[in-house]
Amino acid sequence: MPAFLVQKWPLLETLQLSLNVIEDEAISDLVNADLSCLLSLTLRRISADISQLASANWQLLQTLDLSQHYRSLSTADISALSGGQWPQLRCLHLVGAGVGAANAACLVRGQWPQLEILNLSRTYIDEACMTALVTGDWPVLNRLSIVRSHVTSIAVSVLLKRGWATLERLDMPTKHVLPEIWEVYPKLLGGASLKPGLNQLDSRQGHAAFQSRLVQLKELNFCDGWQAFSDTHVLF
């Protein structure tokens, strides 16, 4: 595995290393490789220490996918990643990576000037986690996915009441969400009637109420996530 990384790849734009046996040494080689044109890096389902990625000089990197890490990412991992210098990063996928309240707080301390898509699906999102996310500095973030997550009703309340000025698309869970969430949705959406499994609100009144708190929202999806995830495609 490390052998090919010591080669020069000055024009390489996309690198997919998912489901490989990658040791910490290989991550170090990856960071030090000549990948000056790298735009997209996918490292799904690996067990190596990914905190080393923060020292990589990938000025053009736009997409980073660290989904379904074989061990949940630690606070130290997230802190390191948040310190990475990736000024062009637009998409960050951390599906099933164990991003809870402490990690969310670390995540928002990073500099994400161009980040547009944040995928935190398959995690547990409580009030503290959502509060950290909605108060973070995401100047252009317009899409948040938390499908197949356990989202508490209080977390939903935080999102809707505090709003997210730039958010245009929100992917929320349905039957994989905690049961009590169905009690809070209608109240926060102006009395709209919601049905699990549907991807739209039943009343325009409810949709208007939602938009009043998320003023830029253009697309709202309620899905159970099984259609959005598979062994070969774990994004959205």
Side-chain angles (χ1 to χ4, degrees):
M1 173 65 195
F4 89 93
L5 290 175
V6 300
Q7 306 297 320
K8 292 184 178 298
W9 305 94
L11 300 180
L12 191 69
E13 296 182 351
T14 301
L15 181 58
Q16 160 71 265
L17 296 174
S18 300
L19 286 169
N20 281 287
V21 178
I22 300 178
E23 299 178 351
D24 294 350
E25 181 184 357
I27 296 294
S28 178
D29 290 337
L30 175 64
V31 167
N32 294 308
D34 182 5
L35 298 170
S36 56
C37 288
L38 189 66
L39 300 179
S40 177
L41 174 64
T42 302
L43 291 170
R44 299 179 200 158
R45 299 185 184 181
I46 66 169
S47 58
D49 175 16
I50 53 86
S51 65
Q52 301 178 74
L53 296 178
S55 61
N57 184 27
W58 297 325
Q59 294 295 307
L60 301 181
L61 188 68
Q62 297 181 10
T63 299
L64 179 61
D65 186 351
L66 301 174
S67 297
Q68 297 182 322
H69 201 275
Y70 277 137
R71 59 176 179 81
S72 294
L73 298 182
S74 67
T75 301
D77 292 330
I78 298 296
S79 294
L81 291 173
S82 298
Q85 299 300 311
W86 305 313
Q88 299 300 319
L89 194 68
R90 287 170 168 76
C91 306
L92 179 60
H93 302 287
L94 298 173
V95 177
V99 179
N103 285 347
C106 293
L107 193 64
V108 300
R109 295 191 190 107
Q111 299 295 317
W112 312 103
Q114 299 297 326
L115 194 68
E116 298 177 356
I117 297 174
L118 180 60
N119 190 350
L120 298 179
S121 299
R122 294 184 61 186
T123 190
Y124 179 82
I125 299 178
D126 59 9
E127 179 182 8
C129 182
M130 186 63 77
T131 299
L133 292 173
V134 300
T135 56
D137 183 16
W138 314 97
V140 296
L141 193 141
N142 57 57
R143 181 175 178 181
L144 174 66
S145 179
I146 51 175
V147 298
R148 283 192 70 186
S149 293
H150 285 292
V151 185
T152 66
S153 58
I154 297 178
V156 176
S157 179
V158 169
L159 175 61
L160 298 185
K161 288 181 178 179
R162 302 193 68 151
W164 198 316
T166 59
L167 203 62
E168 296 182 0
R169 172 169 174 169
L170 177 60
D171 299 328
M172 297 282 286
T174 51
K175 68 182 182 181
H176 290 283
V177 83
L178 296 178
E180 65 266 24
I181 203 170
W182 291 105
E183 297 179 6
V184 74
Y185 271 130
K187 297 176 184 177
L188 294 175
L189 298 178
S193 174
L194 300 179
K195 299 177 181 178
L198 297 183
N199 64 354
Q200 60 184 355
L201 302 182
D202 287 348
S203 74
R204 293 183 179 180
Q205 178 184 4
H207 190 250
F210 200 106
Q211 286 189 321
S212 69
R213 296 171 176 85
L214 300 172
V215 294
Q216 298 297 324
L217 200 68
K218 298 177 181 179
E219 186 172 348
L220 173 61
N221 298 311
F222 291 90
C223 54
D224 61 23
W226 291 113
Q227 295 87 354
F229 292 91
S230 69
D231 287 337
T232 58
H233 185 65
V234 299
L235 305 181
F236 300 110

